[in-house]
Amino acid sequence: MMRGLGELESVIMDRMWSYRRPASVRDVLEDLRRERQIAYTTVMTVMDKLHTKGLLTRELAGKAYIYRTVSTKEAYTADLMRESLARSGNQAATLVHFLERLTPEEAGALEAALQVFPPRGRG
Amino acid sequence: MTAVALTLYPLLAAFILPRVLGRAGWADRAPRLAITLWQAACASVVGSVLLAAFVLAVPPAVVGHGLAAFFAACTAWLTHGTGMTVATTGIAVTVAGAVVTRIAYRTAAVLVRARTERRRHAEVLARLGRHDERLGAIVVDYDERLAYCLPGRRASTVITTGALRSLSPEQVAAVLAHERAHLRGRHHLVVAGAEALATAFPRVPLFERARAELAGLVELLADDMAARRHPRVLIATALVGLATGRTPASALGAGGDTALARVRRMLRPETPLGRGQRLAGALTVGLLLGGPAVVALLPGLGSFLAHHCHELLAR
């Protein structure tokens, strides 16, 4: 049940991001109903939850709320990735990274180290 | 005497061991052994502090008479408060208790925090990424070249579309093999343990150095695991592919030393340690772990032998 709602959260967020304009629960519901059976209250609950989580803002327009995304998908992704890169605080206890950042000099040294190899093995 | 030795040893070891182990040139040829050595060194120092407290708290004669006598003495001490020098016992028990509590507390704090962060990250990831069955990884739409893993109960590997674009399929496979090696080897626990110890007792050279070294060594180990199935050159080129071509804005932190070392290492053929060197390493681990225990138990053992031999001779 929880997992189903979690999945619905990402589906609805994806829809909200794709509209690039504010939308009501009814708008999202109609969009979703083209692909699946879903109740108004379910969509309302999930969108309310997304509002609580700070992903959507809303304002009253007449009797219903109009929702909009807080940030673009790109900005949201950048936040997540930046967080995964921030090794400071809890170091790699959370994430083990493939590689730390490099300065241009270090990057140059790396490229030089590869020069001895034929380009065949290189991507 | 024993207590003095056991108290002096960790004090010296905390300063000398990081220098000795840090200079080990063979570490990148046998990262697993190097990891074990650093862990053994840390355990040795903590263990000898606890054993010193034990020796101070419990007179060797009591140990010598066997466990039953030891427990009897404990009971006597608890009920009558006699039988041992109360002052040293008090200090020893306090020190040991403080050390154990501090480590347990920091370990719990590090693990809980890591889990909370991972969970939050996974939740956002579920919203943004899509699971690629063929790769067996979560793909995130992002221009930067990035690959990492998210340990935990629902462990996953993550790779960005930027990384997928700049690497060949073979390189991607090698990178993901590296990440899976981290997950399978539970390297996050190695790093978390070192982190806990370093933050429990800050400014202890051994613990600080161990934290830094272990973080690098698990990367080498994961490279080695990936190299079992993928050509070393491919791993090296994938490393360079991921490490270069980044926008300056994202250049967080520093220290590409490990990256350079890793690439050069993958460009060289594998040079495993000889049998003699591996044996020496294993012996050192044994010495680090067993040494303090033997020193702590020697007087007790002597007392034990004296007591029982006396009995035997008296018959």
Side-chain angles (χ1 to χ4, degrees):
Chain A
M1 181 63 193
M2 274 317 287
R3 199 173 167 186
L5 275 187
E7 191 225 317
L8 201 52
E9 274 183 31
S10 17
V11 171
I12 290 178
M13 276 314 290
D14 250 350
R15 296 296 163 103
M16 289 297 293
W17 275 318
S18 69
Y19 303 153
R20 299 190 179 275
R21 59 174 174 78
S24 66
V25 173
R26 176 71 53 195
D27 296 335
V28 177
L29 179 74
E30 278 165 14
D31 188 11
L32 288 176
R33 275 208 174 145
R34 269 182 259 155
E35 285 166 24
R36 58 169 99 185
Q37 284 271 317
I38 193 159
Y40 181 87
T41 47
T42 310
V43 178
M44 193 179 69
T45 311
V46 173
M47 288 181 74
D48 184 64
K49 217 169 136 197
L50 287 168
H51 169 253
T52 317
K53 286 186 178 177
L55 286 154
L56 298 175
T57 56
R58 65 184 182 192
E59 53 192 81
L60 264 179
K63 276 193 284 178
Y65 282 116
I66 295 286
Y67 288 85
R68 63 177 77 223
T69 56
V70 168
S71 60
T72 62
K73 187 173 189 180
E74 291 71 28
Y76 194 52
T77 309
D79 277 351
L80 178 75
M81 292 297 117
R82 213 168 292 138
E83 176 192 295
S84 79
L85 293 177
R87 303 193 68 162
S88 48
N90 207 358
Q91 248 229 357
T94 45
L95 305 163
V96 188
H97 300 102
F98 193 72
L99 206 60
E100 57 284 307
R101 312 288 92 177
L102 289 177
T103 64
E105 296 80 47
E106 287 165 343
L110 278 181
E111 288 286 3
L114 279 186
Q115 289 308 314
V116 287
F117 280 84
R120 190 177 49 85
R122 313 184 58 180
Chain B
M1 181 54 211
T2 309
V4 172
L6 283 169
T7 317
L8 278 180
Y9 164 72
L11 289 179
L12 289 174
F15 287 89
I16 293 169
L17 278 180
R19 286 166 190 239
V20 178
L21 290 177
R23 227 183 288 140
W26 51 266
D28 69 338
R29 290 166 61 196
R32 196 187 291 279
L33 179 60
I35 288 172
T36 314
L37 261 174
W38 279 105
Q39 288 177 325
C42 292
S44 175
V45 164
V46 173
S48 60
V49 169
L50 295 180
L51 283 169
F54 176 79
V55 169
L56 278 176
V58 185
V62 179
V63 182
H65 286 134
L67 274 183
F70 170 60
F71 285 125
C74 281
T75 321
W77 178 67
L78 286 173
T79 46
H80 307 296
T82 53
M84 296 173 202
T85 47
V86 177
T88 53
T89 305
I91 294 169
V93 169
T94 311
V95 168
V99 167
V100 170
T101 313
R102 183 93 185 119
I103 292 175
Y105 167 71
R106 283 309 310 166
T107 307
V110 166
L111 290 179
V112 165
R113 191 176 151 196
R115 207 169 70 158
T116 316
E117 282 180 17
R118 275 205 303 267
R119 237 183 233 169
R120 209 166 48 81
H121 192 95
E123 195 186 318
V124 180
L125 205 57
R127 222 171 274 143
L128 287 172
R130 57 176 186 282
H131 191 265
D132 187 314
E133 292 290 339
R134 203 173 43 81
L135 291 176
I138 296 173
V139 177
V140 178
D141 275 315
Y142 195 52
D143 281 337
E144 261 202 58
R145 306 167 192 179
L146 206 61
Y148 61 88
C149 62
L150 204 56
R153 208 179 305 157
R154 286 172 64 186
S156 46
T157 28
V158 183
I159 190 159
T160 62
T161 45
L164 288 177
R165 269 197 301 273
S166 63
L167 300 177
S168 70
E170 295 80 25
Q171 287 173 324
V172 169
V175 166
L176 294 179
H178 169 103
E179 296 304 336
R180 281 190 206 107
H182 278 319
L183 294 177
R184 216 174 306 118
R186 301 194 184 283
H187 293 169
H188 64 293
L189 293 181
V190 174
V191 177
E195 172 83 13
L197 210 50
T199 51
F201 307 105
R203 282 192 285 279
V204 174
L206 174 65
F207 298 156
E208 279 188 2
R209 188 73 189 259
R211 170 167 61 175
E213 295 286 337
L214 285 171
L217 284 168
V218 294
E219 297 298 329
L220 301 190
L221 184 56
D223 282 344
D224 282 355
M225 304 303 279
R228 286 187 187 173
R229 299 238 174 125
H230 303 270
R232 295 171 77 87
V233 176
L234 216 55
I235 298 170
T237 53
L239 276 168
V240 176
L242 283 179
T244 53
R246 283 210 175 89
T247 50
S250 68
L252 301 169
D257 292 359
T258 325
L260 266 174
R262 282 172 64 191
V263 172
R264 297 221 168 98
R265 186 167 167 269
M266 280 294 122
L267 290 176
R268 285 194 303 265
E270 199 184 359
T271 48
L273 292 184
R275 185 181 292 191
Q277 285 166 304
R278 281 206 310 274
L279 191 66
L283 280 177
T284 314
V285 170
L287 200 64
L288 283 169
L289 292 178
V294 170
V295 173
L297 290 177
L298 266 183
L301 202 64
S303 164
F304 175 85
L305 288 176
H307 178 73
H308 288 275
C309 290
H310 181 71
E311 269 184 2
L312 284 177
L313 289 175
R315 270 181 207 168

